[in-house]
Structure formats: structure tokens, C-alpha cells
Amino acid sequence: GARTYVRTAQVSTSANTATIGGNTALLTSMSERYGCDICYDTTTNRYLLAYAWRENNNDKIRFQVGVPSSGTSVSWGNNIIINLTDASTARCAKAPRLAFDPDSGLCLCVANDTTNNKMIQFPLRITGGSTNTVALADTNSPTIFESYGSGGYGLVYDTAANKMIFFYRDKNNSNRPGAMLGTYSENYSGINDYYTWSSTTQLST
């Protein structure tokens, strides 16, 4: 079956070289691969990996935390599986994208719900110490933040503006490139963390 691998490089501080570590297979059997991404949480000193796949007609996203050690070694914790079964939010999520927000301490994952043609978000919080797990920061996840989906997109965090930036091909505007700004919010109860998004800015004609 298809496999998902991770490999770490140790970059030299004195020369333009890198030492490449060996492949580590994190997922060894799945029927269809739907993309993966990785980000680094500077607060907990952990990597976060997201990958999506379909197996037995179930569409899932897995999140996994990695702890860096010396050289090219990373110790990976158990995966956290999110089943997407509610048709009102998501059934078939593809191509997860991750970005770390140092101001909120959250990692944000966005994915394309191709069944319903919508973009969905998963705000996540990594637990450090000896547990090395990740959990949904928003118990209502996934939530829809763009209603037309996209065939191509990326996610980065702007540390100067304290905003998430979502770049995408806007299906609601003849597939022109656009961007949305996401602002971190926490509701009054303190249990749901999420991002609210601006309207789309067209980047090119």
C-alpha cells in the first residue's frame, strides 16, 4: 500500500551543507493519499504533521507530534485521528496545510472538503512535556471559513501583523489568486479557539 514518510535534515551552521537522516514510515497502508504538511511549534519545541487519506470509504485526517533530539533524530508520538462524517461540515478533506501561530500558541490546519466544496479549519494545540500529543483547540472543529473550496492553496503566519494568511485559487472568482487574513479569537468561555477571516483580496487578474 501507499506510505507516508518523514525525513529530517541537520543543517550546518558553518557551511552550506546538510546531513540527511533516514526515512521513517509513519503510515504504511492506505488506499488513497490526500496530501500532507508539517510545521514547527517554537513554544513547545515540537513538529506537527498532518496527513489525510481515505480508507474503507472513511475520510480521515491524522495529526502527529514529533520531538526533535540531537542530529537528525525525531521521536514521533501516536497519531490523533479525526473522522469526518458530518456532511454539514466535512466528509472528504484533502491536502491539509499547517502553520504555527506563536502569538496564540496554536497550530492551524486548513483542508479542502471536496465533498461539499468548502474550506475548513482545525485549530490545534500541542501538549509538550512527556505526552507529546495534539488536541483540537476548538471543540466545534472543523469549522467552515470559505464556502467555495479551492484547487490550490497555502497557509502562512505573518508575525508582524499577527495574522494568518490564506492564499488560494478562488473558485468564486474565475479561479483568480486571492488571499484572506485570519485573526485569532477566543470565545468568552475560553474553551473554543478559532480564526475569523476577512473577505477575499484578489491578488492578480
Side-chain angles (χ1 to χ4, degrees), residues 29 59 82 96 107 109 115 164-165 179 182 204:
S29 179
D59 302 300
I82 294 179
C107 297
C109 176
T115 300
M164 284 287 178
I165 307 178
S204 174

Side-chain angles (χ1 to χ4, degrees), residues 101 103 156-165 181-184 195:
D101 174 352
D103 296 290
V156 297
Y157 187 74
D158 184 331
T159 56
N162 298 338
K163 304 280 187 184
M164 284 287 178
I165 307 178
L181 298 181
T183 303
Y184 168 71
Y195 286 81

Side-chain angles (χ1 to χ4, degrees), residues 16 25 56 62 111 129 134 138 158 163 187:
N16 295 322
N56 299 324
R62 291 193 189 202
V134 63
D138 182 355
D158 184 331
K163 304 280 187 184
N187 73 356

Side-chain angles (χ1 to χ4, degrees), residues 17-149:
T17 61
T19 303
I20 307 297
N23 279 338
T24 300
L26 296 181
L27 190 63
T28 58
S29 179
M30 53 186 174
S31 57
E32 291 184 65
R33 290 174 292 177
Y34 284 165
C36 60
D37 199 11
I38 193 169
C39 70
Y40 181 70
D41 182 332
T42 57
T43 302
T44 61
N45 188 31
R46 302 289 190 270
Y47 294 104
L48 180 63
L49 181 71
Y51 43 97
W53 88 106
R54 166 169 281 195
E55 188 174 30
N56 299 324
N57 294 320
N58 292 317
D59 302 300
K60 304 174 182 179
I61 292 182
R62 291 193 189 202
F63 298 102
Q64 202 157 351
V65 175
V67 184
S69 59
S70 60
T72 58
S73 176
V74 175
S75 175
W76 292 95
N78 295 328
N79 61 67
I80 307 298
I81 300 174
I82 294 179
N83 294 297
L84 304 177
T85 56
D86 185 352
S88 66
T89 54
R91 295 208 316 262
C92 185
K94 291 186 178 182
R97 297 289 181 262
L98 289 170
F100 173 64
D101 174 352
D103 296 290
S104 69
L106 300 180
C107 297
L108 183 64
C109 176
V110 299
N112 188 5
D113 166 19
T114 57
T115 300
N116 299 295
N117 293 320
K118 301 178 188 301
M119 297 303 303
I120 53 177
Q121 61 179 346
F122 300 85
L124 302 152
R125 179 171 283 108
I126 293 177
T127 302
S130 60
T131 54
N132 299 320
T133 60
V134 63
L136 290 172
D138 182 355
T139 57
N140 295 319
S141 289
T143 55
I144 297 165
F145 72 96
E146 196 276 333
S147 296
Y148 297 95

